[in-house]
Amino acid sequence: MESAFEKLTEAVGQAIADGRVGVPSVVRWYVRTKPAKGGAAPTAESMLDAAGAWLGGKPVAVQRFGKDEAQVVLHAKWAAGAAAMLTAASGRGEPANDLIVLGSRGSIYFGRTPEVANGT
Amino acid sequence: MPHYGVLLVGGNRTHQEGYGRSFAGDPRCKVVAVSDEAGIPEYRAGLNRLLAHEMGVPYIADLEAALARRDVQVVSMCADVERRGRVGVMCAQAGKHIYFDKPLAGSARDARAIADAVERAGVHSQMFSQISTPWAQAAKSAIASGQLGDIVGWHADMLMAKGRPGTAPQRNKPRAEQPRPERFTFVEAKREMLDMGVYSVSMVLWLSGRRASAVYATTGNYFFSEHAAHDIEDFGALTLTLDDGRVATATGGRIGWTSHPRSGVVRVIVTGARGSAVFSEATPRLEIYSDEPPFTLPPTHPWDPMAMWSSTGRDLGTAPKRQWVSMSESPQSVDMRGFIDCLDRDVEPEMNARTAVHHVEVIMAGYESAAAGKPVSLRVKAGVASDRAGRVASRRGS
């Protein structure tokens, strides 16, 4: 059975393939998972694979920041200039999954992160 | 009874369109004139005169003369980014409190010169930012309350949904960034990592209470032909390693009218050991779906294709997006009012010129990083920072 992660990856890929947002250029993605073996690192690697599928294969440069047990940021670049900033966090509390894909003619949003109202 | 005379530097097609009216709307303030340096291009002087006319105040074409007026206590400063160092120093030397447009300046050297002059003059200063907004204050409160646990990361976005997208030329290789750009402002477009990114950079640094020790950045020209024509970026992403080892990220860009249901993505996600939360300009909001005609791309103004200024939108009769309805006051009004509150209480604003110097240092390091393709160390400590030319300049007066 497909996981929620796989469903999201496939749905975004289909939207891109259908030309809904033009040429995809930027992936800004934040995922928080429950504490797991390996911390945030495995999630970050899965995110990088998905971003590669959307942006055109393997990145030509990946810089890694943070600590595996709490938060890993992967800042990746692709040969034609596309970029991804991927943050995987691991810890207690509600899981989160907040994705923005910026294309040349539009954007894709997926959000499941606790929102805090500001009291307006 | 107004007790602050306000001088506006800069006019239409600058953020003075909003700041000036915010000052005019505060009963503690009276806008006394619009001014700018002598010798500026005629188109700029004409736009300055136009704002003066709209606001019913005189235009003084000699900034020195305007600053000598005894009925001016506050300057709202919107000179072009490239002139901000010189003009900001002039305003401080005249002994006026200064409200600065963002970013503080177009180079770390200019930014430090402004902060030095402000401190020598003993005046108050504030740069416009988003920190006064209810959503930013909610983020600060949530962090301080401990409800998210120990904080491990901050991730801010400022992605402006204006401009006609899909016009950038398709590239087979990345656009090459300049390590030390000197021009940021053009009639048709701006360098967005500085112009929009400063909101996100200032947000994560303010929330963290830290300084950045290293920056890794990417810039791109993904959306607009106007940016391509000037070989400038319409998007920038920065990863900041803070001086305590924690990591923050920030994006700044312009993504096109059709990329968001309202004005764009303006938010911060905070990561803590006990949870994550997103704090957004768009929360709370009304969402209205009806049989009203949907939003359509507005006509492009020849002198403002990126729709940066309210005056050009007014000229075109641009219809606003109407599905998401903000429930918040204009961030400019909230921020300006906070500045006047500080003057009333003789309290130094949080987002003062000295604080804003570091934002410029971070973003300039970002350009250097994007050009080199590797992280750039800031080596910032105790008021000493590597400047834009790679030299080391000591903070004067410390």
Side-chain angles (χ1 to χ4, degrees), chain A residues 53-98:
Chain A
W54 302 330
L55 296 177
K58 288 198 175 301
V60 293
V62 181
Q63 289 280 338
R64 183 190 184 97
F65 303 88
K67 296 177 179 173
D68 286 0
E69 64 272 21
Q71 175 186 265
V72 173
V73 174
L74 300 181
H75 193 143
K77 302 180 184 183
W78 276 259
M85 193 180 266
L86 312 169
T87 302
S90 176
R92 290 178 289 153
E94 287 289 307
N97 191 347
D98 194 294

mmCIF file of all heavy atoms in Angstrom, chain A residues 53-98:
data_model
loop_
_atom_site.group_PDB
_atom_site.id
_atom_site.type_symbol
_atom_site.label_atom_id
_atom_site.label_comp_id
_atom_site.label_asym_id
_atom_site.label_seq_id
_atom_site.Cartn_x
_atom_site.Cartn_y
_atom_site.Cartn_z
ATOM 1 N N ALA A 53 13.165 13.854 -8.449
ATOM 2 C CA ALA A 53 12.194 13.365 -9.427
ATOM 3 C C ALA A 53 11.411 14.526 -10.046
ATOM 4 O O ALA A 53 11.043 14.480 -11.224
ATOM 5 C CB ALA A 53 11.236 12.379 -8.754
ATOM 6 N N TRP A 54 11.156 15.564 -9.276
ATOM 7 C CA TRP A 54 10.382 16.705 -9.783
ATOM 8 C C TRP A 54 11.246 17.689 -10.571
ATOM 9 O O TRP A 54 10.783 18.307 -11.507
ATOM 10 C CB TRP A 54 9.736 17.470 -8.622
ATOM 11 C CG TRP A 54 8.832 16.641 -7.770
ATOM 12 C CD1 TRP A 54 8.093 15.556 -8.150
ATOM 13 C CD2 TRP A 54 8.583 16.819 -6.367
ATOM 14 N NE1 TRP A 54 7.398 15.051 -7.076
ATOM 15 C CE2 TRP A 54 7.677 15.813 -5.975
ATOM 16 C CE3 TRP A 54 9.025 17.725 -5.419
ATOM 17 C CZ2 TRP A 54 7.214 15.690 -4.666
ATOM 18 C CZ3 TRP A 54 8.569 17.623 -4.108
ATOM 19 C CH2 TRP A 54 7.667 16.601 -3.744
ATOM 20 N N LEU A 55 12.513 17.847 -10.152
ATOM 21 C CA LEU A 55 13.355 18.919 -10.709
ATOM 22 C C LEU A 55 14.316 18.446 -11.790
ATOM 23 O O LEU A 55 15.019 19.257 -12.386
ATOM 24 C CB LEU A 55 14.142 19.606 -9.587
ATOM 25 C CG LEU A 55 13.309 20.345 -8.540
ATOM 26 C CD1 LEU A 55 14.212 20.933 -7.437
ATOM 27 C CD2 LEU A 55 12.497 21.466 -9.177
ATOM 28 N N GLY A 56 14.400 17.144 -12.024
ATOM 29 C CA GLY A 56 15.245 16.713 -13.137
ATOM 30 C C GLY A 56 16.414 15.845 -12.772
ATOM 31 O O GLY A 56 17.526 16.079 -13.260
ATOM 32 N N GLY A 57 16.217 14.861 -11.923
ATOM 33 C CA GLY A 57 17.272 13.894 -11.653
ATOM 34 C C GLY A 57 18.134 14.242 -10.461
ATOM 35 O O GLY A 57 17.683 14.908 -9.525
ATOM 36 N N LYS A 58 19.355 13.805 -10.509
ATOM 37 C CA LYS A 58 20.234 13.987 -9.348
ATOM 38 C C LYS A 58 20.768 15.412 -9.302
ATOM 39 O O LYS A 58 21.128 15.987 -10.326
ATOM 40 C CB LYS A 58 21.408 13.007 -9.426
ATOM 41 C CG LYS A 58 21.003 11.563 -9.141
ATOM 42 C CD LYS A 58 22.221 10.728 -8.795
ATOM 43 C CE LYS A 58 21.819 9.316 -8.383
ATOM 44 N NZ LYS A 58 20.929 9.275 -7.231
ATOM 45 N N PRO A 59 20.844 15.979 -8.117
ATOM 46 C CA PRO A 59 21.418 17.327 -8.000
ATOM 47 C C PRO A 59 22.919 17.298 -8.259
ATOM 48 O O PRO A 59 23.568 16.264 -8.106
ATOM 49 C CB PRO A 59 21.120 17.704 -6.546
ATOM 50 C CG PRO A 59 20.982 16.403 -5.832
ATOM 51 C CD PRO A 59 20.419 15.433 -6.827
ATOM 52 N N VAL A 60 23.435 18.451 -8.657
ATOM 53 C CA VAL A 60 24.881 18.541 -8.905
ATOM 54 C C VAL A 60 25.622 18.996 -7.650
ATOM 55 O O VAL A 60 26.844 18.880 -7.576
ATOM 56 C CB VAL A 60 25.189 19.509 -10.067
ATOM 57 C CG1 VAL A 60 24.673 18.945 -11.374
ATOM 58 C CG2 VAL A 60 24.601 20.898 -9.813
ATOM 59 N N ALA A 61 24.902 19.534 -6.682
ATOM 60 C CA ALA A 61 25.551 19.958 -5.426
ATOM 61 C C ALA A 61 24.541 19.847 -4.299
ATOM 62 O O ALA A 61 23.379 20.234 -4.464
ATOM 63 C CB ALA A 61 26.046 21.395 -5.543
ATOM 64 N N VAL A 62 24.971 19.300 -3.192
ATOM 65 C CA VAL A 62 24.124 19.224 -1.990
ATOM 66 C C VAL A 62 24.959 19.642 -0.788
ATOM 67 O O VAL A 62 26.018 19.063 -0.536
ATOM 68 C CB VAL A 62 23.571 17.807 -1.755
ATOM 69 C CG1 VAL A 62 22.685 17.796 -0.502
ATOM 70 C CG2 VAL A 62 22.798 17.303 -2.955
ATOM 71 N N GLN A 63 24.506 20.651 -0.076
ATOM 72 C CA GLN A 63 25.135 21.044 1.187
ATOM 73 C C GLN A 63 24.228 20.587 2.318
ATOM 74 O O GLN A 63 23.010 20.766 2.255
ATOM 75 C CB GLN A 63 25.329 22.562 1.253
ATOM 76 C CG GLN A 63 26.412 23.095 0.326
ATOM 77 C CD GLN A 63 27.816 22.908 0.886
ATOM 78 O OE1 GLN A 63 28.007 22.769 2.096
ATOM 79 N NE2 GLN A 63 28.802 22.884 -0.008
ATOM 80 N N ARG A 64 24.829 20.019 3.337
ATOM 81 C CA ARG A 64 24.060 19.468 4.444
ATOM 82 C C ARG A 64 24.357 20.259 5.714
ATOM 83 O O ARG A 64 25.518 20.553 6.012
ATOM 84 C CB ARG A 64 24.473 18.005 4.625
ATOM 85 C CG ARG A 64 23.742 17.235 5.683
ATOM 86 C CD ARG A 64 24.461 15.891 5.885
ATOM 87 N NE ARG A 64 23.753 15.063 6.825
ATOM 88 C CZ ARG A 64 22.895 14.111 6.491
ATOM 89 N NH1 ARG A 64 22.652 13.865 5.224
ATOM 90 N NH2 ARG A 64 22.284 13.404 7.416
ATOM 91 N N PHE A 65 23.308 20.591 6.455
ATOM 92 C CA PHE A 65 23.454 21.377 7.684
ATOM 93 C C PHE A 65 22.622 20.717 8.791
ATOM 94 O O PHE A 65 21.646 20.030 8.517
ATOM 95 C CB PHE A 65 22.946 22.809 7.482
ATOM 96 C CG PHE A 65 23.624 23.547 6.359
ATOM 97 C CD1 PHE A 65 23.136 23.458 5.060
ATOM 98 C CD2 PHE A 65 24.750 24.320 6.592
ATOM 99 C CE1 PHE A 65 23.754 24.128 4.014
ATOM 100 C CE2 PHE A 65 25.378 24.998 5.555
ATOM 101 C CZ PHE A 65 24.879 24.897 4.268
ATOM 102 N N GLY A 66 22.990 20.983 10.033
ATOM 103 C CA GLY A 66 22.206 20.522 11.165
ATOM 104 C C GLY A 66 22.685 19.208 11.731
ATOM 105 O O GLY A 66 23.748 18.686 11.357
ATOM 106 N N LYS A 67 21.882 18.686 12.645
ATOM 107 C CA LYS A 67 22.231 17.450 13.345
ATOM 108 C C LYS A 67 21.174 16.380 13.069
ATOM 109 O O LYS A 67 19.975 16.669 13.131
ATOM 110 C CB LYS A 67 22.308 17.713 14.854
ATOM 111 C CG LYS A 67 23.420 18.687 15.233
ATOM 112 C CD LYS A 67 23.411 18.970 16.715
ATOM 113 C CE LYS A 67 24.533 19.921 17.084
ATOM 114 N NZ LYS A 67 24.472 20.361 18.496
ATOM 115 N N ASP A 68 21.622 15.164 12.784
ATOM 116 C CA ASP A 68 20.710 14.091 12.397
ATOM 117 C C ASP A 68 19.579 13.883 13.397
ATOM 118 O O ASP A 68 18.443 13.597 13.025
ATOM 119 C CB ASP A 68 21.481 12.776 12.231
ATOM 120 C CG ASP A 68 22.305 12.759 10.948
ATOM 121 O OD1 ASP A 68 22.253 13.769 10.210
ATOM 122 O OD2 ASP A 68 22.998 11.761 10.714
ATOM 123 N N GLU A 69 19.880 14.012 14.682
ATOM 124 C CA GLU A 69 18.872 13.651 15.681
ATOM 125 C C GLU A 69 17.765 14.698 15.803
ATOM 126 O O GLU A 69 16.695 14.398 16.337
ATOM 127 C CB GLU A 69 19.516 13.412 17.046
ATOM 128 C CG GLU A 69 20.176 14.610 17.678
ATOM 129 C CD GLU A 69 21.632 14.793 17.268
ATOM 130 O OE1 GLU A 69 22.017 14.257 16.215
ATOM 131 O OE2 GLU A 69 22.359 15.474 17.997
ATOM 132 N N ALA A 70 17.987 15.921 15.344
ATOM 133 C CA ALA A 70 16.979 16.964 15.555
ATOM 134 C C ALA A 70 16.477 17.582 14.255
ATOM 135 O O ALA A 70 15.272 17.612 13.982
ATOM 136 C CB ALA A 70 17.565 18.059 16.454
ATOM 137 N N GLN A 71 17.373 18.111 13.457
ATOM 138 C CA GLN A 71 16.964 18.814 12.234
ATOM 139 C C GLN A 71 18.095 18.749 11.207
ATOM 140 O O GLN A 71 19.238 19.080 11.513
ATOM 141 C CB GLN A 71 16.646 20.273 12.530
ATOM 142 C CG GLN A 71 16.331 21.083 11.276
ATOM 143 C CD GLN A 71 16.154 22.562 11.558
ATOM 144 O OE1 GLN A 71 15.041 23.024 11.737
ATOM 145 N NE2 GLN A 71 17.237 23.321 11.591
ATOM 146 N N VAL A 72 17.763 18.337 10.005
ATOM 147 C CA VAL A 72 18.728 18.309 8.910
ATOM 148 C C VAL A 72 18.199 19.205 7.795
ATOM 149 O O VAL A 72 17.025 19.105 7.419
ATOM 150 C CB VAL A 72 18.920 16.875 8.368
ATOM 151 C CG1 VAL A 72 19.798 16.892 7.117
ATOM 152 C CG2 VAL A 72 19.527 15.981 9.437
ATOM 153 N N VAL A 73 19.038 20.095 7.299
ATOM 154 C CA VAL A 73 18.690 20.925 6.149
ATOM 155 C C VAL A 73 19.585 20.516 4.983
ATOM 156 O O VAL A 73 20.809 20.516 5.111
ATOM 157 C CB VAL A 73 18.884 22.425 6.453
ATOM 158 C CG1 VAL A 73 18.665 23.261 5.184
ATOM 159 C CG2 VAL A 73 17.933 22.892 7.546
ATOM 160 N N LEU A 74 18.961 20.159 3.865
ATOM 161 C CA LEU A 74 19.696 19.886 2.634
ATOM 162 C C LEU A 74 19.409 21.023 1.662
ATOM 163 O O LEU A 74 18.247 21.316 1.358
ATOM 164 C CB LEU A 74 19.269 18.554 2.011
ATOM 165 C CG LEU A 74 19.460 17.298 2.857
ATOM 166 C CD1 LEU A 74 19.005 16.060 2.074
ATOM 167 C CD2 LEU A 74 20.912 17.145 3.298
ATOM 168 N N HIS A 75 20.457 21.670 1.204
ATOM 169 C CA HIS A 75 20.330 22.785 0.253
ATOM 170 C C HIS A 75 20.962 22.273 -1.040
ATOM 171 O O HIS A 75 22.179 22.094 -1.115
ATOM 172 C CB HIS A 75 21.075 23.999 0.821
ATOM 173 C CG HIS A 75 20.798 25.284 0.130
ATOM 174 N ND1 HIS A 75 20.715 26.490 0.806
ATOM 175 C CD2 HIS A 75 20.593 25.588 -1.168
ATOM 176 C CE1 HIS A 75 20.483 27.464 -0.060
ATOM 177 N NE2 HIS A 75 20.413 26.941 -1.266
ATOM 178 N N ALA A 76 20.123 22.016 -2.022
ATOM 179 C CA ALA A 76 20.591 21.293 -3.224
ATOM 180 C C ALA A 76 20.389 22.133 -4.483
ATOM 181 O O ALA A 76 19.487 22.974 -4.561
ATOM 182 C CB ALA A 76 19.823 19.983 -3.356
ATOM 183 N N LYS A 77 21.274 21.887 -5.465
ATOM 184 C CA LYS A 77 21.198 22.602 -6.744
ATOM 185 C C LYS A 77 21.254 21.596 -7.885
ATOM 186 O O LYS A 77 21.963 20.588 -7.800
ATOM 187 C CB LYS A 77 22.365 23.582 -6.875
ATOM 188 C CG LYS A 77 22.433 24.612 -5.743
ATOM 189 C CD LYS A 77 23.607 25.560 -5.913
ATOM 190 C CE LYS A 77 23.705 26.504 -4.725
ATOM 191 N NZ LYS A 77 24.773 27.507 -4.859
ATOM 192 N N TRP A 78 20.544 21.915 -8.954
ATOM 193 C CA TRP A 78 20.507 21.047 -10.131
ATOM 194 C C TRP A 78 21.223 21.713 -11.309
ATOM 195 O O TRP A 78 21.413 22.938 -11.311
ATOM 196 C CB TRP A 78 19.065 20.724 -10.507
ATOM 197 C CG TRP A 78 18.533 19.565 -9.714
ATOM 198 C CD1 TRP A 78 18.408 18.275 -10.140
ATOM 199 C CD2 TRP A 78 18.085 19.573 -8.350
ATOM 200 N NE1 TRP A 78 17.906 17.483 -9.123
ATOM 201 C CE2 TRP A 78 17.711 18.250 -8.018
ATOM 202 C CE3 TRP A 78 17.980 20.554 -7.371
ATOM 203 C CZ2 TRP A 78 17.227 17.895 -6.760
ATOM 204 C CZ3 TRP A 78 17.517 20.206 -6.120
ATOM 205 C CH2 TRP A 78 17.140 18.891 -5.823
ATOM 206 N N ALA A 79 21.567 20.906 -12.290
ATOM 207 C CA ALA A 79 22.426 21.372 -13.381
ATOM 208 C C ALA A 79 21.845 22.573 -14.115
ATOM 209 O O ALA A 79 22.572 23.486 -14.506
ATOM 210 C CB ALA A 79 22.687 20.230 -14.367
ATOM 211 N N ALA A 80 20.537 22.597 -14.313
ATOM 212 C CA ALA A 80 19.935 23.695 -15.075
ATOM 213 C C ALA A 80 19.617 24.897 -14.215
ATOM 214 O O ALA A 80 19.066 25.892 -14.705
ATOM 215 C CB ALA A 80 18.677 23.203 -15.776
ATOM 216 N N GLY A 81 19.928 24.833 -12.910
ATOM 217 C CA GLY A 81 19.739 25.987 -12.044
ATOM 218 C C GLY A 81 18.656 25.839 -11.003
ATOM 219 O O GLY A 81 18.520 26.698 -10.121
ATOM 220 N N ALA A 82 17.852 24.765 -11.073
ATOM 221 C CA ALA A 82 16.807 24.583 -10.063
ATOM 222 C C ALA A 82 17.438 24.374 -8.683
ATOM 223 O O ALA A 82 18.612 23.992 -8.579
ATOM 224 C CB ALA A 82 15.931 23.381 -10.419
ATOM 225 N N ALA A 83 16.651 24.626 -7.648
ATOM 226 C CA ALA A 83 17.180 24.544 -6.284
ATOM 227 C C ALA A 83 16.131 23.956 -5.350
ATOM 228 O O ALA A 83 14.926 24.059 -5.597
ATOM 229 C CB ALA A 83 17.586 25.931 -5.798
ATOM 230 N N ALA A 84 16.601 23.344 -4.282
ATOM 231 C CA ALA A 84 15.694 22.851 -3.238
ATOM 232 C C ALA A 84 16.283 23.150 -1.883
ATOM 233 O O ALA A 84 17.501 23.054 -1.688
ATOM 234 C CB ALA A 84 15.472 21.346 -3.389
ATOM 235 N N MET A 85 15.413 23.540 -0.965
ATOM 236 C CA MET A 85 15.796 23.730 0.422
ATOM 237 C C MET A 85 14.884 22.808 1.228
ATOM 238 O O MET A 85 13.688 23.055 1.344
ATOM 239 C CB MET A 85 15.627 25.187 0.817
ATOM 240 C CG MET A 85 16.270 25.562 2.125
ATOM 241 S SD MET A 85 15.986 27.293 2.450
ATOM 242 C CE MET A 85 17.471 27.984 1.781
ATOM 243 N N LEU A 86 15.448 21.731 1.723
ATOM 244 C CA LEU A 86 14.677 20.653 2.339
ATOM 245 C C LEU A 86 15.033 20.553 3.810
ATOM 246 O O LEU A 86 16.209 20.377 4.157
ATOM 247 C CB LEU A 86 14.997 19.329 1.636
ATOM 248 C CG LEU A 86 14.964 19.365 0.112
ATOM 249 C CD1 LEU A 86 15.543 18.084 -0.484
ATOM 250 C CD2 LEU A 86 13.540 19.592 -0.384
ATOM 251 N N THR A 87 14.026 20.634 4.671
ATOM 252 C CA THR A 87 14.256 20.554 6.105
ATOM 253 C C THR A 87 13.513 19.355 6.660
ATOM 254 O O THR A 87 12.290 19.256 6.511
ATOM 255 C CB THR A 87 13.762 21.827 6.814
ATOM 256 O OG1 THR A 87 14.426 22.956 6.252
ATOM 257 C CG2 THR A 87 14.038 21.757 8.309
ATOM 258 N N ALA A 88 14.253 18.454 7.275
ATOM 259 C CA ALA A 88 13.638 17.315 7.957
ATOM 260 C C ALA A 88 13.913 17.453 9.445
ATOM 261 O O ALA A 88 15.060 17.639 9.856
ATOM 262 C CB ALA A 88 14.234 16.010 7.431
ATOM 263 N N ALA A 89 12.845 17.371 10.226
ATOM 264 C CA ALA A 89 12.977 17.463 11.671
ATOM 265 C C ALA A 89 12.421 16.194 12.292
ATOM 266 O O ALA A 89 11.530 15.550 11.727
ATOM 267 C CB ALA A 89 12.225 18.679 12.200
ATOM 268 N N SER A 90 12.954 15.852 13.425
ATOM 269 C CA SER A 90 12.480 14.663 14.131
ATOM 270 C C SER A 90 12.312 15.011 15.595
ATOM 271 O O SER A 90 13.202 15.611 16.203
ATOM 272 C CB SER A 90 13.510 13.534 13.956
ATOM 273 O OG SER A 90 13.135 12.409 14.696
ATOM 274 N N GLY A 91 11.171 14.648 16.144
ATOM 275 C CA GLY A 91 10.965 14.957 17.549
ATOM 276 C C GLY A 91 9.537 14.685 17.975
ATOM 277 O O GLY A 91 8.700 14.261 17.175
ATOM 278 N N ARG A 92 9.290 14.956 19.242
ATOM 279 C CA ARG A 92 7.948 14.784 19.784
ATOM 280 C C ARG A 92 7.017 15.825 19.182
ATOM 281 O O ARG A 92 7.444 16.746 18.508
ATOM 282 C CB ARG A 92 7.991 14.917 21.299
ATOM 283 C CG ARG A 92 8.693 13.743 21.986
ATOM 284 C CD ARG A 92 8.728 13.974 23.482
ATOM 285 N NE ARG A 92 9.657 15.041 23.838
ATOM 286 C CZ ARG A 92 9.558 15.801 24.920
ATOM 287 N NH1 ARG A 92 8.557 15.629 25.757
ATOM 288 N NH2 ARG A 92 10.447 16.728 25.178
ATOM 289 N N GLY A 93 5.739 15.681 19.462
ATOM 290 C CA GLY A 93 4.768 16.634 18.940
ATOM 291 C C GLY A 93 4.161 16.169 17.631
ATOM 292 O O GLY A 93 4.465 15.095 17.116
ATOM 293 N N GLU A 94 3.292 17.011 17.105
ATOM 294 C CA GLU A 94 2.557 16.667 15.883
ATOM 295 C C GLU A 94 3.501 16.575 14.684
ATOM 296 O O GLU A 94 4.355 17.451 14.497
ATOM 297 C CB GLU A 94 1.522 17.754 15.588
ATOM 298 C CG GLU A 94 0.333 17.754 16.517
ATOM 299 C CD GLU A 94 -0.561 16.557 16.267
ATOM 300 O OE1 GLU A 94 -0.969 16.340 15.115
ATOM 301 O OE2 GLU A 94 -0.836 15.838 17.234
ATOM 302 N N PRO A 95 3.342 15.547 13.839
ATOM 303 C CA PRO A 95 4.081 15.530 12.570
ATOM 304 C C PRO A 95 3.658 16.715 11.706
ATOM 305 O O PRO A 95 2.561 17.259 11.870
ATOM 306 C CB PRO A 95 3.661 14.206 11.927
ATOM 307 C CG PRO A 95 3.121 13.375 13.045
ATOM 308 C CD PRO A 95 2.519 14.339 14.013
ATOM 309 N N ALA A 96 4.528 17.090 10.801
ATOM 310 C CA ALA A 96 4.226 18.208 9.903
ATOM 311 C C ALA A 96 4.761 17.899 8.517
ATOM 312 O O ALA A 96 5.719 17.143 8.366
ATOM 313 C CB ALA A 96 4.866 19.493 10.430
ATOM 314 N N ASN A 97 4.110 18.467 7.535
ATOM 315 C CA ASN A 97 4.540 18.274 6.150
ATOM 316 C C ASN A 97 4.086 19.493 5.371
ATOM 317 O O ASN A 97 2.893 19.677 5.146
ATOM 318 C CB ASN A 97 3.921 16.998 5.572
ATOM 319 C CG ASN A 97 4.533 16.617 4.234
ATOM 320 O OD1 ASN A 97 5.241 17.414 3.615
ATOM 321 N ND2 ASN A 97 4.258 15.410 3.795
ATOM 322 N N ASP A 98 5.003 20.350 4.993
ATOM 323 C CA ASP A 98 4.668 21.631 4.392
ATOM 324 C C ASP A 98 5.521 21.818 3.149
ATOM 325 O O ASP A 98 6.731 21.972 3.241
ATOM 326 C CB ASP A 98 4.932 22.743 5.415
ATOM 327 C CG ASP A 98 4.307 24.045 4.993
ATOM 328 O OD1 ASP A 98 4.740 24.602 3.978
ATOM 329 O OD2 ASP A 98 3.385 24.505 5.681
#
